[in-house]
Amino acid sequence: MKTLQFAVLTALLVTSCKQKPKAEEKKAEPKETVNYLEEPKEAFDERMAWWRDARFGMFIHWGAYAVPAGRYEGKEVNGIGEWIMHNVKIPIDIYEGYAKEFNPTAFNAEEWVTRMKNAGMKYMVITSKHHDGFCLWDSGVTDYDIIDFSPYDKDILKALSDACKAQGVKFGLYHSIMDWHHPDAQADTYAGGEPSENNEERFADYLESYLKPQLKELVGNYDPAILWFDGEWEKEFTHEQGQELYQYVRELKPGIIINNRVDKGRKGMQGMNKDDSDYAGDFGTPEQEILDGISDLDWESCMTMNDTWGYKTDDRNWKSSAELVRNLVDAAAKGGNYLLNIGPDASGNIPEASMKRLEDIGEWMKVNGEAVYGTESPKSGYKEGDNIRFTRKKGTPFYYAVTFEKPGKTFQVEKLKPEEGSEVVLLGYEQPLEWNYSEESGLTISVPEEALRATGNTLAWTFKIKMVTD
Ligand code: FHN
């Protein structure tokens, strides 16, 4: 999050010899240790470039919590589905029963990645381990994983990372620092027990002997482009440990991108860091909200399609496809990314309602995606009124005005002043549109009915304006 002088700590191995040996002794190579917490802006920008241009990703919350699916002892449990273990204080041995039942025989990694790609999403972030501690890969440091503990015994993360590579989209992992299952993490207190007096010491040991070895497995086996930490708010976890964790993961894979929940900087659900001190992490993480303005720091809003991250049988409060497109465009206009969640069920099926929304968004992105990908927030302003957002294609004279209200016979904006000769089109309709500009009423574009018919969509309409001068 900060650009500071790059401190290259170079430890030169000094070789000394009493007399020149007959054969020239091979000089030891100087070993450089890079301090990733202090990275020059150019290196940071280069590493973040693909992620900034991608703008749109798929979040996947999937694990043992999909088995109870929001119900316990015959009753619906309030709250987000993946918190059921905590919310009704399910004893660990009972909850482990869900992991033993987790057998997603309908899971098809290639199909999931195809649906994600067809929706216009450029990267995936899936829960390798959520707060419940159950691991979706074959971990060498625990048997509480999909291979050793469940009847499924296939490596879900391997299947997805291979499918992402095969289809040319980026693979990312969510990993929870908080762990309600591990005895040295929060196992004592998740169900309301009293913390033991040496909790900090035990937690530090959990970090060193469990969390870090798991991260090494994950980075080594699945080559994620993103590590999305969560559960950083636990009091045993310190800022120093967060900085150290960031450095550790970057040393595992220098080009990886890591969110700000690797450290203690996040200001609640608003997601950006509470101040500009030396918190680690490459981007802010507003949750269930879009940042309320632009920021000179990178950020990504993560949101659900209904009200839960993990699958819940009874949660049918689905956002409309129009609202999801609006969120995506709003985030892009403000210079942010949008990470939209799906919560597959225990059989490995994506809910019908989620698939319908992914298809709708994909149809819209096929025609309008250029107004999202590789864009930036225009210096002339990102919005006009409640229903118009602007983006600019980086390094080009192309501006996009996206309206969430179906245009009438004319569409008017004040903020864009095309030079004479500028071309205006409605994405999805071939012919350039008539327009005029006046100081008093701004840019007025004529919108023939056939143009609206040609776009065939009802989610949002995009006007592309080529500004002859910047
Ligand atoms: O507690 C988690 C929650 O289950 C979910 O994973 C969200 C997604 O960002 N993060 C935490 C709540 O902030």
Side-chain angles (χ1 to χ4, degrees), residues 20 32 53 63 107 169-170 190 227 272 276 303 317 328 334 419 423 427 434 439 455 466 469:
K20 204 164 171 53
E32 279 194 352
D53 288 346
F107 168 59
V169 290
K170 299 281 190 180
Y190 98 87
L227 245 180
M272 303 303 275
D276 60 1
M303 296 177 93
N317 188 27
L328 170 63
K334 294 168 182 171
E419 293 293 328
E423 192 178 80
L427 293 188
E434 297 297 316
E439 287 305 327
T455 64
K466 184 167 186 253
T469 51

Side-chain angles (χ1 to χ4, degrees), residues 61 80 82-83 130-131 174 228 230 233 261 287 302 309:
H61 277 69
I80 44 186
E82 68 284 2
W83 271 70
H130 203 265
H131 311 329
Y174 164 114
W228 211 100
D230 204 5
W233 55 81
R261 301 189 189 187
E287 180 169 324
C302 57
W309 303 92

Side-chain angles (χ1 to χ4, degrees), residues 276-340:
D276 60 1
S277 50
D278 56 354
Y279 293 113
D282 300 321
F283 61 92
T285 51
E287 180 169 324
Q288 299 290 35
E289 60 182 76
I290 307 285
L291 210 59
D292 55 13
I294 57 174
S295 166
D296 56 8
L297 299 177
D298 292 287
W299 56 275
E300 170 198 74
S301 277
C302 57
M303 296 177 93
T304 53
M305 285 194 191
N306 47 8
D307 291 330
T308 179
W309 303 92
Y311 179 71
K312 282 185 82 175
T313 311
D314 303 306
D315 183 335
R316 299 180 186 83
N317 188 27
W318 300 100
K319 298 174 182 73
S320 69
S321 301
E323 183 178 348
L324 298 174
V325 163
R326 181 190 181 104
N327 290 339
L328 170 63
V329 170
D330 189 27
K334 294 168 182 171
N337 285 19
Y338 186 51
L339 188 66
L340 181 58

Side-chain angles (χ1 to χ4, degrees), residues 138-187:
D138 186 14
S139 173
V141 292
T142 181
D143 283 347
Y144 196 46
D145 64 41
I146 191 79
I147 302 296
D148 301 306
F149 215 82
S150 91
Y152 186 63
D153 81 5
K154 291 195 194 97
D155 187 335
I156 283 172
L157 299 189
K158 175 104 180 69
L160 283 170
S161 62
D162 288 351
C164 282
K165 273 197 176 55
Q167 298 196 41
V169 290
K170 299 281 190 180
F171 178 70
L173 291 170
Y174 164 114
H175 200 74
S176 177
I177 293 163
M178 180 162 80
D179 188 312
W180 297 326
H181 185 270
H182 194 286
D184 291 332
Q186 281 78 27

Side-chain angles (χ1 to χ4, degrees), residues 114-415:
T114 302
R115 285 188 181 280
M116 169 192 123
K117 197 172 173 183
N118 289 346
M121 295 158 151
K122 299 290 185 185
Y123 60 96
M124 170 192 288
V125 178
I126 182 168
T127 49
S128 56
K129 180 199 80 164
H130 203 265
H131 311 329
D132 63 355
F134 182 65
C135 305
L136 292 192
W137 80 100
D138 186 14
S139 173
V141 292
T142 181
D143 283 347
Y144 196 46
D145 64 41
I146 191 79
I147 302 296
D148 301 306
F149 215 82
S150 91
Y152 186 63
D153 81 5
K154 291 195 194 97
D155 187 335
I156 283 172
L157 299 189
K158 175 104 180 69
L160 283 170
S161 62
D162 288 351
C164 282
K165 273 197 176 55
Q167 298 196 41
V169 290
K170 299 281 190 180
F171 178 70
L173 291 170
Y174 164 114
H175 200 74
S176 177
I177 293 163
M178 180 162 80
D179 188 312
W180 297 326
H181 185 270
H182 194 286
D184 291 332
Q186 281 78 27
D188 288 359
T189 56
Y190 98 87
E194 282 308 307
S196 53
E197 54 285 355
N198 64 337
N199 247 22
E200 282 72 17
E201 197 183 307
R202 289 171 57 195
F203 191 78
D205 183 52
Y206 153 77
L207 287 180
E208 289 307 315
S209 62
Y210 192 81
L211 185 86
K212 285 184 178 176
Q214 287 204 328
L215 293 171
K216 189 169 185 177
E217 292 171 2
L218 291 169
V219 174
N221 299 342
Y222 310 112
D223 190 29
I226 301 161
L227 245 180
W228 211 100
F229 284 96
D230 204 5
E232 84 287 0
W233 55 81
E234 282 305 297
K235 62 186 179 322
E236 296 91 354
F237 185 59
T238 68
H239 169 44
E240 290 66 35
Q241 288 168 335
Q243 288 185 308
E244 213 270 318
L245 198 54
Y246 180 85
Q247 174 70 19
Y248 176 74
V249 174
R250 288 291 306 279
E251 285 179 5
L252 289 174
K253 182 177 180 181
I256 201 166
I257 292 174
I258 304 170
N259 71 343
N260 67 345
R261 301 189 189 187
V262 67
D263 194 352
K264 304 290 281 190
R266 174 170 65 119
K267 190 169 65 179
M269 302 297 255
Q270 184 268 3
M272 303 303 275
N273 282 352
K274 45 201 164 204
D275 56 48
D276 60 1
S277 50
D278 56 354
Y279 293 113
D282 300 321
F283 61 92
T285 51
E287 180 169 324
Q288 299 290 35
E289 60 182 76
I290 307 285
L291 210 59
D292 55 13
I294 57 174
S295 166
D296 56 8
L297 299 177
D298 292 287
W299 56 275
E300 170 198 74
S301 277
C302 57
M303 296 177 93
T304 53
M305 285 194 191
N306 47 8
D307 291 330
T308 179
W309 303 92
Y311 179 71
K312 282 185 82 175
T313 311
D314 303 306
D315 183 335
R316 299 180 186 83
N317 188 27
W318 300 100
K319 298 174 182 73
S320 69
S321 301
E323 183 178 348
L324 298 174
V325 163
R326 181 190 181 104
N327 290 339
L328 170 63
V329 170
D330 189 27
K334 294 168 182 171
N337 285 19
Y338 186 51
L339 188 66
L340 181 58
N341 184 74
I342 62 166
D345 67 19
S347 304
N349 297 305
I350 298 173
E352 280 297 330
S354 298
M355 290 196 284
K356 174 69 174 77
R357 283 152 183 76
L358 290 173
E359 287 156 13
D360 289 349
I361 297 169
E363 283 310 306
W364 189 83
M365 287 295 273
K366 273 199 202 91
V367 174
N368 300 276
E370 67 175 275
V372 172
Y373 303 127
T375 60
E376 62 193 5
S377 193
K379 290 187 178 39
S380 48
Y382 69 84
K383 68 179 279 192
E384 197 165 300
D386 288 339
N387 292 313
I388 298 173
R389 296 294 182 273
F390 300 111
T391 62
R392 175 182 179 176
K393 187 67 81 179
K394 282 178 194 167
T396 79
F398 290 107
Y399 284 67
Y400 300 91
V402 184
T403 175
F404 305 129
E405 256 176 351
K406 184 174 180 180
K409 291 188 173 14
T410 58
F411 174 70
Q412 210 155 5
V413 279
E414 287 151 26
K415 284 223 166 92

